[in-house]
Amino acid sequence: MDKAERAIRQAIIEACRAMNTSGLNQGTSGNISVRHGERLLITPSATSYERMTPEMIAAMPLADPSGRFEGPLKPSTEWHFHVAIARTRPEIGAIVHTHSTFATVLAMARRDIPACHYMVAAFGGNDVRCARYATFGTEALARNVLAALEGRSACLMANHGMIATGADLEKAMWAAVELETLARQYWHALALGGAVILSDEEMAEVRGRFGSYGIAAGTPRATPGRGPDDPPQASSVTTPRPRRVRSVRGSRA
C-alpha cells in the first residue's frame, strides 16, 4: 500500500478507538469504511480496535458487490450496507456505524427522530428515519438502509443502531456524534411528555441558513460548535400550530 492509503487505514483505526473512548460505541460492535479510489477500506470483523493495524483493514472493490476482499482478515459482517451505500451514493466518502446508547434506544423503539431540534436539518431533511428491521449482515438490511438514507446522510436501524455518513471520515464522525446528541436530547424530551416539532416551513428556513454555514447534509462548520446560534431572521411565513410528539408508543417501521 502507498503512503496515502496507509494514512487512511490508520485514520480508520484511530476513529474506531475514539468511538469507544468517547462512549459512542462499545467493544467491536461498530464499524467504519472509507472510500479510496475504486475500493472501500473497511474495518475487519470481530477484531479489537486496540490491536488493529493498518494491514488488517480489508479492501473491497466497489465494482464487485459479491463480497470479494483483499487482506488477511474478513471485512465487517456489515459490509453489505457499507458497499451498497458507497456504490449508490458517490458523494459519500466515509460511513460510520455504531451502537451508541441513545440512538440505539430510539432504534429499539423503532422511532424516527422528527424535527425536534433545528440540527436535524443537518442530515438532509425534516427527520432522521429509522430503517426497517432485517437481520444484521444481510442484503435485506442493506436494502432497508438505502431506503432510509434516501435524501438523508444518516439513519437509525430498527433494533440495531445508527449509520452516519460524510464526504470524508472527519465529517462522518462529526455526524455520528451529532446524531447521538440529538437522539439523547429527543429521548429526554419524550420523558417530559413530548417534543414540540418544528414546522416544515421553519425547517426549510434552517436548511437555507445552513448553506451559508457549510452544515448542509451533515457537513460541519469550519469553526467549532453545533450550528448557527445567532437569532433567526424574521420569516414572512405563517407558522402552523406546533405539533407535539407523545411518548406513549413509538411507530413501528
Side-chain angles (χ1 to χ4, degrees):
M1 72 184 78
D2 60 23
K3 185 177 180 180
E5 182 173 333
R6 177 173 287 275
I8 293 172
R9 290 168 177 252
Q10 185 60 43
I12 290 173
I13 295 170
E14 292 173 1
C16 287
R17 293 171 180 170
M19 286 197 306
N20 280 16
T21 299
S22 67
L24 194 63
N25 192 64
Q26 311 82 35
T28 60
S29 58
N31 34 76
I32 293 177
S33 67
V34 175
R35 185 192 301 272
H36 181 57
E38 299 303 314
R39 300 188 301 165
L40 192 68
L41 303 178
I42 183 170
T43 48
S45 177
T47 303
S48 166
Y49 301 150
E50 293 306 314
R51 70 179 185 86
M52 196 178 294
T53 65
E55 291 75 17
M56 294 178 181
I57 301 294
M60 307 188 74
L62 288 171
D64 182 359
S66 69
R68 184 165 61 87
F69 70 93
E70 302 168 7
L73 300 176
K74 292 181 179 180
S76 165
T77 56
E78 301 293 10
W79 68 264
H80 286 283
F81 69 64
H82 282 270
V83 170
I85 293 169
R87 280 171 57 84
T88 59
R89 299 282 295 274
E91 78 279 11
I92 290 175
I95 301 159
V96 174
H97 165 54
T98 84
H99 294 180
S100 58
T101 299
F102 287 93
T104 302
V105 166
L106 294 180
M108 290 164 64
R110 302 192 181 185
R111 282 186 180 269
D112 297 342
I113 300 178
C116 54
H117 191 286
Y118 70 82
M119 283 301 291
V120 167
F123 297 100
N126 294 356
D127 59 5
V128 176
R129 304 184 188 107
C130 183
R132 293 177 63 85
Y133 179 77
T135 305
F136 76 94
T138 61
E139 292 184 26
L141 178 58
R143 289 193 296 269
N144 292 349
V145 163
L146 286 180
L149 283 175
E150 185 174 352
R152 303 288 188 272
S153 60
C155 70
L156 304 182
M157 307 160 69
N159 304 91
H160 191 154
M162 63 120 107
I163 294 173
T165 71
D168 55 34
L169 182 54
E170 181 183 8
K171 293 178 177 64
M173 287 293 289
W174 176 90
V177 171
E178 185 62 38
L179 182 54
E180 174 64 4
T181 299
L182 286 168
R184 182 173 69 249
Q185 293 167 339
Y186 182 45
W187 184 89
H188 283 296
L190 290 173
L192 291 175
V196 175
I197 306 304
L198 296 173
S199 69
D200 291 348
E201 291 84 359
E202 288 167 328
M203 290 296 284
E205 184 176 359
V206 170
R207 289 196 301 275
R209 290 173 61 84
F210 272 4
S212 63
Y213 283 88
I215 306 181
T219 303
R221 293 192 300 170
T223 53
R226 294 193 62 206
D229 293 324
D230 45 319
Q233 297 175 353
S235 172
S236 60
V237 177
T238 301
T239 303
R241 183 177 180 180
R243 293 168 287 152
R244 183 173 294 275
V245 173
R246 298 294 178 185
S247 60
V248 289
R249 282 195 303 182
S251 59
R252 292 287 168 179

